[in-house]
């Protein structure tokens, strides 16, 4: 078969109907070894022409995706020129999916696909083919690579990334205003056919919105869409592949579109006239009521500013815009009076604060209303003619004199009688009083400017019919000065004159004070009550005066003190004067006039103490000291100091007390040695802890044969003390311990050391360990001292 015949058969096979559509593109594959001639022909020139055998040729196979047949899908056929059809060749397939997804017939070279293939998973597969000799297993064709390309079919519908879109557009927008763009994607091959060509259309939302078929941009389709009529719209958009043709696949999405507000509505008052009421007693700043203009817009487009533009109450009322509620709050600007005016009329305007110039044609964005305010009558408290009163009165007026009158009235139309009273908390001394009927204030006690120059009173005015409605007013009473106090010395003067003073010598400068306060100021005059031969007064005419001597030399032995009466007068009416006495002492001075000494009498007079008084004080002090000394001596005599001859001198008698006993002087004590060992007492043994007053022979105590006698003796003494009313409230014998006779352990104490004539040996204490070192040092100290000496 010639090459032309093979090509013709392949073309016919391609156009015949098959379960799959395949296409072969051939290429020349050179053989690796020389081929034998398949035949011999003669050319025109008569020379022999040799034909070389060719190998297999192919490039690509095409396979449709999503095959739905029951048999394996045929892909194509591999064939080599070396194949004689006798089954001597074997075809081998390797690469992507070889043996699983793609299989080959070893004898014929037919390739089949074993299952459905999805192009969206893999668009092409690369495989390798080889032909070998079945007997020798040697390749007769070199291994060659080829591609199986998956042809796309329209098996994927367009999808949107979001199921629901949200968008907004201003109301009153012009037709064609862009709202939002939606985009769908198709998984099919966009380079093959129209499987991925998407066309958009609107299924719901007409006639308000439209969509561009190619881009998916949604635009407005109606003019002047008003948010106040409808705010929310739902638009359904469809995306269809195959260019929107019949049979194409489609997907949909929903777009929720909101019309945003613009200021296209002016504010409007719901009423042309608004009536409000307020009591006349409402204080300044009281809110009377509110007005509100409605605006169909929202947000800042609905913000309104209120103002009073006209009316007869523009000066009596204010209006304030409440931002959170968009209301106009009307407040009182000045006090109201029902009796003066009962009705006010205001013209209130409401205007948008944010106006859009595009909508000026819709009219002025403001509105007005009339507000009528009625003032209601209330029972008001009395009103004084003044906010405060000031009365001036001289301090010497007579009791019961009226110093001033306060006036008040009932402001109500039905005037009620008024009763006046004083707040006694402002007049605790009850110096003033008031007539309850006419408000006249008069004095009830004498006035004294020097005690209190001002009196701050509070007068109360109340309606007789309604005492709870009252008003207070401050009344200030100023007390005017009257010259009723005489001037006096400014300070106490301690004046002296030197014995060697000369005539005309200055010894003191005096001044005066006056409690009065004349309008022209104080003016004092100084003079002597009588002519004095020793001293004189010289007025300096500046409210001071000088005291001068009139003779030479003074003697304190003759006269130690001079009394000089000085008359001080003021210059007011009526003239007041007083006499002050200067005490002038005569003292010894040096050449410069400095005082050195004065007599004792003169020095003590200013202090007010005489010589007799000082002597009495000194005697009292001496008597107190003597009493203290005697008390200390008696207390010292009560104590008897024991005479401790040496540290080895141990007392024989031990007395034990519970609390505060009589000590070693207690005569009721007993010799403990006698109690323990009555036979151990010696006749010559005396007490060595106190100084014996007289030497006496101690009475020998008969020996007790056993412990029974001791117990009987103790019990007898206890009984005597219990029945003795003069005995102390305790028993000193109750604390004695009794060890018994001839104790085996004996006693380490030196209490009984006095019963023996010689010293005892305590060296064995050193062998008892470190705990007994102290005792060893105490009782073995004699030897230690000898060792160290």
């Amino acid at each position: 078969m010639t090459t032309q015949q093979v090509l013709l058969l392949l073309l016919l096979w391609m156009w015949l109907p098959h379960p799959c559509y395949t296409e072969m593109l051939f290429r020349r594959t050179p053989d690796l070894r020389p081929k034998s001639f398949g035949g011999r022909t003669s050319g025109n020139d008569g020379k022999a022409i040799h034909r070389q055998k060719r190998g297999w040729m192919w490039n690509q196979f095409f396979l449709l995706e999503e095959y739905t047949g029951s048999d394996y899908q045929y892909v194509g056929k591999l064939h080599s020129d070396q194949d004689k059809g006798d089954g001597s060749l074997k075809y081998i397939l390797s690469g992507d999916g070889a043996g699983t997804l793609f299989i080959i017939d070893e004898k014929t070279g037919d390739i089949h696909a074993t299952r459905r293939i999805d192009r969206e998973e893999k668009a092409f597969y690369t495989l390798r083919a080889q032909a070998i000799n079945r007997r020798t297993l040697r390749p007769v064709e070199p291994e060659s690579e080829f591609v199986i390309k998956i042809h796309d079919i329209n098996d994927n519908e367009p999808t949107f990334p979001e199921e629901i879109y949200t968008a907004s557009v201003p109301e009153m927008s012009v037709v064609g205003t862009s709202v939002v763009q939606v985009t769908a994607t198709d998984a099919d091959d966009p380079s093959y056919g129209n499987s991925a060509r998407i066309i958009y259309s609107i299924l719901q939302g007409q006639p308000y919105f439209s969509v561009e078929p190619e881009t998916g941009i949604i635009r407005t389709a109606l003019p002047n869409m008003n948010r106040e009529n409808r705010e929310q719209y739902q638009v359904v958009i469809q995306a269809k592949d195959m260019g929107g043709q019949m049979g194409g696949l489609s997907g949909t999405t929903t777009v929720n579109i909101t019309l945003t507000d613009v200021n296209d509505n002016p504010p409007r008052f719901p009423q042309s006239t608004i009536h409000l009421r307020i009591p006349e007693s409402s204080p300044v700043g009281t809110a009377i009521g509110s007005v509100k203009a409605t605006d169909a817009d929202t947000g800042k487009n609905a913000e309104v500013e209120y103002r009073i533009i006209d009316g007869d109450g523009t000066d009596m009322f204010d209006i304030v815009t409440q931002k959170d509620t968009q209301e106009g709050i009307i407040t009182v600007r000045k006090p109201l009076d029902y009796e003066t005016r009962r009705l006010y009329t205001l013209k209130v305007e409401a205007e948008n604060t944010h106006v859009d110039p595009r909508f000026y044609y819709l009219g002025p964005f403001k509105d007005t209303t009339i507000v009528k305010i009625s003032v209601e009558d209330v029972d008001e408290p009395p009103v004084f003619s003044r906010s405060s009163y000031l009365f001036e009165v001289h301090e010497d007026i007579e009791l019961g004199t009226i110093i001033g009158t306060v006036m008040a009235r009932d402001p109500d139309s039905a005037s009620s009688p008024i009763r006046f009273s004083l707040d006694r908390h402002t007049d605790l001394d009850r110096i003033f009083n008031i007539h309850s009927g006419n408000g006249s204030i008069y004095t009830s006690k004498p006035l004294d400017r020097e005690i209190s120059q001002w009196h701050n009173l509070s007068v109360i005015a109340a309606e007789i019919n309604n005492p709870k409605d009252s008003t207070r007013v401050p009344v200030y009473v100023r007390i005017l000065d009257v010259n009723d106090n005489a001037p006096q010395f400014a300070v106490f003067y301690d004046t002296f004159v030197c014995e060697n003073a000369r005539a005309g010598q200055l010894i003191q400068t005096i001044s005066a004070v006056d409690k009065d306060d004349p309008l022209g100021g104080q003016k004092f005059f100084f003079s002597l009550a009588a002519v004095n031969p020793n001293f004189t007064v010289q007025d300096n005419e500046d409210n001071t005066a000088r005291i001068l001597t009139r003779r030479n030399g003074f003697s304190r032995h003759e006269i130690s003190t001079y009394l000089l009466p000085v008359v001080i007068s003021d210059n007011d009416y009526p003239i007041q004067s007083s006499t002050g006495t200067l005490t002038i002492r005569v003292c010894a001075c040096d050449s410069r006039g400095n005082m050195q000494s004065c007599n004792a009498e003169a020095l003590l007079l200013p202090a007010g103490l005489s010589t007799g008084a000082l002597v009495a004080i000194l005697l009292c002090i001496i008597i107190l000291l003597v009493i203290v000394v005697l008390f200390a001596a008696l207390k010292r005599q009560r104590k008897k100091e024991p005479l401790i001859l040496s540290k080895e001198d141990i007392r024989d008698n031990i007395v034990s007390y519970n609390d505060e006993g009589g000590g070693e002087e207690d005569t009721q004590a007993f010799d403990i040695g006698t109690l323990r060992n009555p036979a151990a007492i010696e006749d010559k043994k005396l007490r060595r802890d106190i100084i014996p007053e007289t030497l006496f022979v101690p009475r020998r105590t008969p020996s007790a044969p056993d412990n029974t006698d001791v117990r009987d003796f103790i019990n007898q003494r206890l009984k005597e003390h219990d029945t003795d009313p003069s005995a102390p409230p305790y028993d000193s014998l109750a604390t004695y311990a009794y060890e018994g006779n001839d104790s085996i352990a004996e006693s380490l104490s030196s209490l009984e050391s006095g019963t023996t004539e010689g010293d005892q040996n305590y060296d064995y204490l050193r062998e008892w360990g470190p705990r007994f070192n102290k005792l060893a040092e105490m009782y073995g100290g004699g030897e230690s001292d000898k060792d160290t000496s």
Side-chain angles (χ1 to χ4, degrees):
M1 183 180 291
T2 63
T3 303
Q4 290 82 2
Q5 291 174 340
V6 171
L7 291 175
L8 181 61
L9 289 175
L10 286 174
L11 292 174
L12 291 174
W13 179 80
M14 290 173 60
W15 290 104
L16 289 176
H18 290 281
C20 65
Y21 175 74
T22 61
E23 178 182 358
M24 289 187 176
L25 298 179
F26 293 91
R27 65 180 176 85
R28 176 70 178 176
T29 302
D31 197 353
L32 296 178
R33 52 190 172 86
K35 306 290 192 302
S36 60
F37 289 105
R40 182 178 295 176
T41 59
S42 299
N44 296 332
D45 55 1
K47 295 180 180 180
I49 300 174
H50 296 278
R51 181 175 60 85
Q52 185 179 6
K53 292 184 179 179
R54 67 181 185 277
W56 55 32
M57 296 187 308
W58 71 85
N59 193 321
Q60 279 187 353
F61 291 107
F62 291 91
L63 183 65
L64 290 177
E65 65 171 337
E66 303 294 341
Y67 171 70
T68 59
S70 59
D71 297 332
Y72 288 165
Q73 184 180 6
Y74 182 74
V75 178
K77 184 179 181 69
L78 297 178
H79 185 74
S80 174
D81 291 345
Q82 301 296 324
D83 190 356
K84 304 298 183 178
D86 55 0
S88 60
L89 296 183
K90 179 181 179 181
Y91 295 97
I92 300 174
L93 188 66
S94 63
D96 293 341
T100 56
L101 180 59
F102 301 103
I103 60 175
I104 189 171
D105 191 328
E106 296 180 352
K107 295 181 179 180
T108 63
D110 293 330
I111 302 174
H112 291 82
T114 61
R115 60 178 176 83
R116 295 173 58 185
I117 299 176
D118 188 359
R119 188 200 67 84
E120 285 69 40
E121 293 181 1
K122 193 173 180 67
F124 63 91
Y125 297 86
T126 302
L127 295 97
R128 292 180 300 276
Q130 189 177 21
I132 64 175
N133 188 290
R134 189 181 295 274
R135 184 175 58 83
T136 63
L137 300 179
R138 298 188 59 170
V140 298
E141 293 285 355
E143 187 180 51
S144 182
E145 185 178 272
F146 65 96
V147 175
I148 299 177
K149 187 175 182 180
I150 310 302
H151 267 187
D152 182 49
I153 64 173
N154 190 17
D155 60 342
N156 292 280
E157 69 277 0
T159 58
F160 290 93
E162 298 182 15
E163 294 182 2
I164 298 177
Y165 289 84
T166 300
S168 62
V169 63
E171 63 173 333
M172 308 298 290
S173 298
V174 297
V175 175
T177 301
S178 175
V179 179
V180 68
Q181 183 179 14
V182 294
T183 303
T185 58
D186 196 321
D188 294 327
D189 189 0
S191 63
Y192 181 79
N194 294 326
S195 298
R197 183 187 174 191
I198 299 174
I199 298 297
Y200 299 94
S201 61
I202 185 168
L203 300 182
Q204 178 182 327
Q206 294 176 334
Y208 307 103
F209 300 94
S210 63
V211 63
E212 292 183 357
E214 300 292 338
T215 62
I217 297 176
I218 301 174
R219 300 182 183 274
T220 59
L222 281 181
N224 300 328
M225 286 192 293
N226 197 339
R227 183 198 65 85
E228 287 72 34
N229 295 334
R230 182 177 177 182
E231 185 176 4
Q232 299 289 338
Y233 294 87
Q234 190 175 73
V235 179
V236 179
I237 301 297
Q238 181 189 63
K240 191 174 183 180
D241 58 12
M242 298 299 292
Q245 297 178 3
M246 185 72 68
L249 302 179
S250 64
T252 61
T253 187
T254 301
V255 182
N256 293 326
I257 301 175
T258 302
L259 295 183
T260 58
D261 184 61
V262 297
N263 192 6
D264 59 340
N265 294 279
R268 292 289 180 264
F269 282 105
Q271 299 174 346
S272 59
T273 304
I274 300 174
H275 294 273
L276 299 176
R277 295 179 178 274
I278 183 171
E280 63 174 333
S281 60
S282 300
V284 174
T286 302
I288 304 173
S290 63
V291 295
K292 184 175 183 179
T294 59
D295 194 324
D297 300 321
T298 61
K300 68 176 184 178
N301 297 320
E303 292 182 1
V304 177
E305 187 72 25
Y306 297 91
R307 64 179 64 90
I308 299 175
I309 60 175
D310 198 4
D312 54 11
T314 55
D315 60 336
M316 299 295 296
F317 303 95
D318 281 331
I319 188 167
V320 180
T321 303
Q322 196 77 18
K323 295 298 183 180
D324 53 347
T325 61
Q326 291 299 308
E327 292 180 331
I329 308 300
I330 300 176
T331 60
V332 178
R333 185 176 181 181
K334 292 183 179 181
L336 302 174
D337 188 6
Y338 173 82
E339 287 72 27
T340 303
R341 192 180 185 90
R342 304 181 182 182
L343 180 64
Y344 294 91
T345 301
L346 304 176
K347 187 176 183 180
V348 178
E349 180 184 72
E351 183 179 10
N352 280 139
T353 56
H354 301 87
V355 181
D356 194 336
R358 296 178 299 170
F359 305 105
Y360 279 154
Y361 67 92
L362 296 178
F365 285 80
K366 56 186 176 181
D367 194 16
T368 60
T369 187
I370 301 299
V371 179
K372 293 186 176 182
I373 302 175
S374 299
V375 180
E376 297 179 343
D377 185 28
V378 295
D379 191 4
E380 300 176 87
V383 177
F384 285 95
S385 59
R386 300 179 189 176
S387 59
S388 64
Y389 293 87
L390 172 61
F391 299 137
E392 293 183 346
V393 59
H394 287 88
E395 59 180 326
D396 61 345
I397 63 172
E398 298 180 358
L399 296 181
T401 302
I402 296 177
I403 63 173
T405 302
V406 298
M407 292 182 293
R409 63 178 182 85
D410 185 4
D412 297 326
S413 56
S415 181
S416 300
I418 297 174
R419 177 179 173 273
F420 298 93
S421 62
L422 276 176
D423 185 355
R424 287 304 173 185
H425 292 91
T426 61
D427 184 27
L428 297 176
D429 295 331
R430 295 183 175 271
I431 299 176
F432 302 95
N433 211 335
I434 188 171
H435 291 288
S436 61
N438 56 18
S440 297
I441 301 175
Y442 58 93
T443 59
S444 57
K445 288 184 179 181
L447 303 178
D448 190 350
R449 189 199 67 87
E450 285 70 38
I451 296 178
S452 179
Q453 187 176 355
W454 287 91
H455 295 274
N456 301 325
L457 307 178
S458 180
V459 177
I460 304 173
E463 296 181 9
I464 295 179
N465 298 332
N466 188 9
K468 294 183 179 180
D469 288 339
S470 62
T471 307
R472 294 172 177 264
V473 68
V475 177
Y476 307 104
V477 181
R478 180 183 180 184
I479 310 301
L480 301 179
D481 184 44
V482 174
N483 192 24
D484 55 350
N485 292 279
Q488 296 176 350
F489 282 131
V491 295
F492 173 79
Y493 295 102
D494 185 12
T495 307
F496 70 92
V497 61
C498 296
E499 288 183 314
N500 56 358
R502 295 183 179 181
Q505 185 175 345
L506 174 65
I507 63 173
Q508 184 70 58
T509 300
I510 60 176
S511 61
V513 294
D514 195 338
K515 294 182 180 180
D516 297 323
D517 187 16
L519 296 177
Q522 298 284 2
K523 180 63 176 177
F524 302 123
F525 301 96
F526 301 89
S527 62
L528 293 178
V531 177
N532 191 295
N534 302 309
F535 306 97
T536 184
V537 174
Q538 183 178 350
D539 196 334
N540 296 328
E541 297 183 357
D542 60 354
N543 292 339
T544 63
R546 297 186 297 172
I547 307 298
L548 305 174
T549 59
R550 296 191 64 181
R551 65 184 180 87
N552 296 330
F554 293 87
S555 175
R556 57 177 172 168
H557 298 291
E558 296 179 0
I559 300 177
S560 60
T561 304
Y562 292 91
L563 299 178
L564 181 63
V566 179
V567 178
I568 310 173
S569 304
D570 58 21
N571 194 32
D572 203 359
Y573 179 83
I575 295 176
Q576 299 288 340
S577 64
S578 65
T579 300
T581 301
L582 284 176
T583 300
I584 303 174
R585 296 178 296 152
V586 181
C587 301
C589 302
D590 57 14
S591 59
R592 296 182 179 180
N594 298 322
M595 180 181 66
Q596 291 182 341
S597 64
C598 301
N599 57 24
E601 185 84 15
L603 291 175
L604 292 174
L605 279 175
L609 295 177
S610 62
T611 304
L614 291 176
V615 172
I617 293 174
L618 291 176
L619 288 176
C620 291
I621 294 174
I622 293 173
I623 292 172
L624 290 175
L625 291 176
V626 171
I627 292 174
V628 172
V629 172
L630 290 176
F631 180 77
L634 291 175
K635 189 173 183 180
R636 190 176 295 109
Q637 290 178 359
R638 291 179 182 177
K639 297 182 179 179
K640 292 183 179 180
E641 299 293 337
L643 297 176
I644 304 300
L645 300 179
S646 67
K647 63 180 181 179
E648 289 129 2
D649 186 11
I650 306 302
R651 288 178 283 182
D652 298 329
N653 193 23
I654 294 180
V655 181
S656 177
Y657 294 93
N658 285 339
D659 190 7
E660 295 181 355
E664 296 174 351
E665 299 178 6
D666 192 347
T667 57
Q668 302 296 327
F670 294 92
D671 188 2
I672 191 64
T674 303
L675 292 177
R676 293 183 175 178
N677 191 4
I681 189 170
E682 296 182 0
D683 297 339
K684 297 182 181 180
K685 194 65 177 176
L686 302 177
R687 291 191 61 170
R688 300 163 63 189
D689 57 341
I690 61 173
I691 300 175
E693 295 182 359
T694 57
L695 295 175
F696 60 91
V697 179
R699 181 173 56 86
R700 183 177 182 87
T701 305
S703 302
D706 54 14
N707 294 339
T708 305
D709 296 338
V710 175
R711 286 197 296 271
D712 294 341
F713 176 77
I714 292 175
N715 291 333
Q716 181 180 358
R717 294 304 300 258
L718 287 174
K719 186 175 182 180
E720 293 176 358
H721 280 75
D722 290 337
T723 58
D724 186 5
S726 62
Y730 51 83
D731 187 2
S732 61
L733 298 176
T735 58
Y736 286 143
Y738 182 70
E739 187 175 359
N741 294 328
D742 299 328
S743 173
I744 298 176
E746 299 181 352
S747 176
L748 295 179
S749 174
S750 62
L751 296 176
E752 297 179 358
S753 61
T755 60
T756 61
E757 296 292 334
D759 295 332
Q760 297 183 12
N761 186 10
Y762 297 99
D763 292 340
Y764 61 89
L765 293 176
R766 300 182 183 274
E767 300 175 2
W768 287 8
R771 294 185 179 181
F772 294 90
N773 289 340
K774 188 66 176 178
L775 290 175
E777 293 177 1
M778 292 175 59
Y779 295 100
E783 296 178 2
S784 298
D785 295 340
K786 292 178 183 179
D787 295 337
T788 57
S789 61

